[in-house]
Amino acid sequence: MEFDLIELIRTRCAVQRADVRLGIGDDAALLAPPAGHELAVSTDTLVGGVHFPFATSAHDLGWKALAVNLSDLAAMGATPAWSLLALTLPEATREFVAEFIDGYAELAAQHGVALVGGDTTRGPLAIGVTVHGFVAPGRALRRDGAQAGDLVFVTGTLGDAAAGLRCLDRRDTRAQALFNAPPDTRETLVARLNRPTPRVAAGAALRDVASACIDVSDGLLADLGHIAERSGVGIEIDAGALPASSALLTLFEREERLVLQATGGDDYELAFCVPAARAGDVQRDLARIGCGATRIGRVVAGERVRLFDGDGSELVPERSGWDHFA
Amino acid sequence: MEFDLIELIRTRCAVQRADVRLGIGDDAALLAPPAGHELAVSTDTLVGGVHFPFATSAHDLGWKALAVNLSDLAAMGATPAWSLLALTLPEATREFVAEFIDGYAELAAQHGVALVGGDTTRGPLAIGVTVHGFVAPGRALRRDGAQAGDLVFVTGTLGDAAAGLRCLDRRDTRAQALFNAPPDTRETLVARLNRPTPRVAAGAALRDVASACIDVSDGLLADLGHIAERSGVGIEIDAGALPASSALLTLFEREERLVLQATGGDDYELAFCVPAARAGDVQRDLARIGCGATRIGRVVAGERVRLFDGDGSELVPERSGWDHFA
């Protein structure tokens, strides 16, 4: 059975690359990294009931498992190339695996990512993906280069994925209002949760310009906190500047919306810092590839991330992001 | 909490390599592959209660999670370099993580393997490891090169790990006899289960000589079956030739022993094929690095693996290896 599944996965995820010398089917894949480049490598695991509701469709799961990993490469400004998939399933349903791998393959094809290996095991539902990308030496976007005076930006809109999760949560006290919302509004938010768009092209456009970059996976404030810590700076965010989708504006009042935007996870937008003199260039370059970016704050001397209201008072959200063991 | 754990892992797993340009702590690791080499990449997941008993010590788990992955690189003849660790834990016990990473680091240090990234998540106990190694182009050991006339060898001894698992299984009908065995005999077998030795040096010695190679993880017959299938050949194994440890000989009668040797998983020895003319060289080269190898059969025209008794009759074991979804 396991070997049938591997064959199913291999045939449905069909991106071919000349730099894959030996793909699925041996003890290891054999890959030929391009000369003169660094390899960016990242791995992320999604656990059923922790990182996604068990009701999530297999197709969405396949997409999302790869998307959250490609988002890490995007945050480094790396060009995606190869992936490995470790699939742990309570039972081997051919239908589940087929739908899962179709979702995975759909996104893989968009970025030319080959699936070169992995494993399938029995156990509680979990998906581990490892991705590899290329970046020229010294040009990767890191977390440790932000400097006081830089401006802080974020791509796209914030809080939609967390709002989508609330739309799915029937225990939510506001569930009635959410269920009564226009279906396409709810669907827009749920799609942001289940089928995030890794900002690969935006990450590439930010190389040589952004002083620091991270993807928003745990929540904006938590993720910017990593930049602040690694760069040895403080970051001040203007609550009123946080970008919101019209769906979020429709369904949530200001205060609730702000918590979702500042602390909701799973957005997979890029948050980045740019020297003030380059800010115009960056916004123009991103607009050219169809990716909006909003200025949301600035880097200061100091050591942590603070969120300010329009009147200058500091806002302290309930929590600053996901801590998987909290 | 999660970030404390990552810091604990980072500081305890301290192999430094010049080719790691950026390690744990950003969205991805940045690595510099050596020019003119292929990269061998493999990933394997161990799930609690499926691949190891929940009672396994954290230290042993750390060792084994890396060992089973290095074994895949060994089977390719690749030189290990980098690893990523995806750790899924029901709760974040600092003590568990510290012991786990000490076991992992102990083996990593032996092979100069740097831990360059990974993640920690909450969920049912599972460990995913991805390893990277280097091998000169065209020199990797693959599964698809065996030819009729080649001889089949295996390193070390077979069946010990499966016997060790039986020693731990209190439901086993032979448990009483196993528990009455000399403690050091039982411990020898259990150690083979919990702390397997990846045959990295043996894999390197087999480059340019072996026509095909695989590590024995699912059971000898099942694993040789992959070589037979990928190479388009048959394989005949002589049951009487299968190497046994003195511990296995002490605790198990012939028939039971044979099932463990032919179908027991988790040995992580290398099974390989060699042109008959090179057989002497191979045994001498392996002996020089302290790794015994036993001739156990031959490659024939045909299409599957068959096990023969001394009198020429075919033996059909109860099962030919682990199928994780059986």
Side-chain angles (χ1 to χ4, degrees):
Chain A
M1 183 68 147
E2 188 182 357
F3 306 113
D4 285 351
L5 288 184
I6 292 170
E7 189 55 23
L8 175 71
I9 290 168
R10 197 182 63 75
T11 51
R12 291 215 181 194
C13 209
V15 171
Q16 305 288 328
R17 294 177 61 99
D19 56 16
V20 178
R21 300 294 155 81
L22 183 65
I24 293 170
D26 213 300
D27 290 294
L30 293 174
L31 308 168
H37 280 70
E38 288 177 355
L39 198 62
V41 186
S42 184
T43 190
D44 256 319
T45 305
L46 300 183
V47 178
V50 177
H51 301 94
F52 59 87
F54 282 111
T56 308
S57 80
H59 194 278
D60 285 346
L61 267 185
W63 172 287
K64 183 165 181 172
L66 181 58
V68 305
N69 279 278
L70 293 184
S71 179
D72 282 319
L73 294 184
M76 302 299 287
T79 303
W82 310 312
S83 70
L84 294 96
L85 169 64
L87 197 51
T88 303
L89 300 172
E91 52 181 344
T93 319
R94 194 184 163 82
E95 189 184 351
F96 180 95
V97 175
E99 285 177 19
F100 176 92
I101 204 66
D102 282 350
Y104 190 99
E106 186 184 345
L107 182 60
Q110 287 183 15
H111 294 280
V113 173
L115 178 61
V116 301
D119 71 348
T120 58
T121 57
R122 185 169 58 79
L125 182 60
I127 305 133
V129 173
T130 303
V131 288
H132 299 76
F134 310 141
V135 63
R139 293 186 62 198
L141 304 171
R142 302 165 53 144
R143 298 177 177 177
D144 57 6
Q147 302 212 328
D150 288 351
L151 302 179
V152 181
F153 287 81
V154 70
T155 60
T157 57
L158 292 170
D160 296 329
L165 186 61
R166 289 195 53 186
C167 287
L168 295 175
D169 186 356
R170 294 181 176 273
R171 295 162 307 181
D172 193 297
T173 50
R174 286 197 67 238
Q176 202 57 45
L178 295 174
F179 280 116
N180 290 340
D184 59 344
T185 306
R186 293 185 63 233
E187 278 160 23
T188 298
L189 297 176
V190 172
R192 287 271 293 168
L193 174 71
N194 288 338
R195 293 174 66 89
T197 302
R199 296 292 193 180
V200 173
L206 291 172
R207 287 192 301 246
D208 306 322
V209 185
S211 57
C213 185
I214 193 167
D215 68 324
V216 181
S217 55
D218 293 341
L220 179 71
L221 299 185
D223 291 315
L224 285 176
H226 297 311
I227 287 184
E229 188 191 344
R230 299 271 295 185
S231 297
V233 297
I235 292 177
E236 294 180 354
I237 298 297
D238 173 7
L242 298 182
S245 67
S246 60
L248 196 74
L249 289 165
T250 303
L251 290 191
F252 294 88
E253 294 302 323
R254 184 176 183 279
E255 195 165 336
E256 208 164 14
R257 199 170 66 225
L258 183 57
V259 172
L260 293 168
Q261 291 172 294
T263 70
D266 270 0
D267 284 320
Y268 302 102
E269 298 294 348
L270 297 183
F272 56 95
C273 305
V274 178
R278 305 295 304 275
D281 298 345
V282 164
Q283 283 186 293
R284 193 195 54 231
D285 291 347
L286 290 180
R288 204 171 276 162
I289 58 169
C291 177
T294 306
R295 178 178 158 181
I296 58 171
R298 61 201 185 106
V299 179
V300 297
E303 58 172 11
R304 63 187 187 89
V305 181
R306 301 203 295 169
L307 182 66
F308 289 96
D309 209 346
D311 63 4
S313 61
E314 185 173 353
L315 297 166
V316 180
E318 290 158 18
R319 48 160 224 256
S320 67
W322 292 98
D323 179 337
H324 293 303
F325 293 106
Chain B
M1 183 68 151
E2 189 183 356
F3 306 114
D4 286 351
L5 287 183
I6 292 171
E7 189 55 24
L8 176 72
I9 289 169
R10 199 184 61 77
T11 51
R12 292 214 180 194
C13 210
V15 170
Q16 304 289 328
R17 294 177 61 101
D19 56 17
V20 179
R21 300 293 156 81
L22 183 65
I24 292 171
D26 213 301
D27 290 293
L30 294 174
L31 308 168
H37 280 70
E38 288 178 355
L39 198 61
V41 186
S42 184
T43 190
D44 255 320
T45 305
L46 300 182
V47 179
V50 178
H51 300 95
F52 59 87
F54 283 110
T56 307
S57 80
H59 194 280
D60 285 345
L61 267 186
W63 173 288
K64 184 165 181 172
L66 180 59
V68 305
N69 278 278
L70 293 184
S71 179
D72 282 319
L73 294 184
M76 301 299 287
T79 302
W82 311 311
S83 70
L84 295 97
L85 169 63
L87 197 51
T88 304
L89 300 172
E91 51 182 346
T93 319
R94 195 184 162 80
E95 188 185 352
F96 180 95
V97 175
E99 286 178 18
F100 176 92
I101 205 63
D102 282 350
Y104 190 99
E106 185 184 346
L107 183 61
Q110 287 183 15
H111 295 279
V113 173
L115 179 61
V116 300
D119 71 348
T120 58
T121 56
R122 184 170 59 81
L125 182 59
I127 306 132
V129 173
T130 303
V131 288
H132 300 75
F134 310 141
V135 62
R139 293 186 63 198
L141 304 171
R142 301 166 53 143
R143 298 178 177 177
D144 57 5
Q147 302 213 326
D150 288 352
L151 302 179
V152 181
F153 287 81
V154 70
T155 59
T157 57
L158 292 170
D160 296 330
L165 187 61
R166 290 195 53 185
C167 288
L168 294 174
D169 186 356
R170 293 180 177 273
R171 294 162 308 180
D172 193 297
T173 50
R174 286 197 66 237
Q176 203 56 43
L178 295 174
F179 280 115
N180 291 338
D184 59 346
T185 305
R186 293 185 62 233
E187 279 161 22
T188 298
L189 297 176
V190 172
R192 287 272 292 169
L193 174 70
N194 288 338
R195 293 175 65 90
T197 302
R199 296 292 194 180
V200 173
L206 292 172
R207 286 193 301 246
D208 306 322
V209 186
S211 57
C213 184
I214 194 169
D215 69 323
V216 180
S217 55
D218 293 341
L220 179 71
L221 299 185
D223 291 315
L224 286 176
H226 297 312
I227 287 183
E229 188 191 344
R230 299 271 294 185
S231 298
V233 297
I235 291 176
E236 294 180 354
I237 298 298
D238 173 7
L242 297 182
S245 68
S246 60
L248 196 75
L249 289 165
T250 303
L251 289 190
F252 292 87
E253 295 302 324
R254 183 175 184 282
E255 196 165 335
E256 208 163 14
R257 199 169 67 224
L258 183 58
V259 172
L260 293 168
Q261 292 172 294
T263 71
D266 269 359
D267 284 319
Y268 301 102
E269 297 294 348
L270 297 183
F272 56 95
C273 305
V274 178
R278 303 297 302 276
D281 298 344
V282 165
Q283 282 186 294
R284 193 194 56 230
D285 291 347
L286 290 180
R288 206 172 272 163
I289 59 168
C291 176
T294 306
R295 178 178 158 181
I296 59 171
R298 61 201 184 104
V299 180
V300 297
E303 62 172 7
R304 63 188 188 88
V305 182
R306 301 204 294 168
L307 182 67
F308 289 97
D309 209 348
D311 64 5
S313 60
E314 185 174 353
L315 296 166
V316 180
E318 289 157 18
R319 47 162 224 255
S320 66
W322 292 96
D323 179 338
H324 293 304
F325 293 107

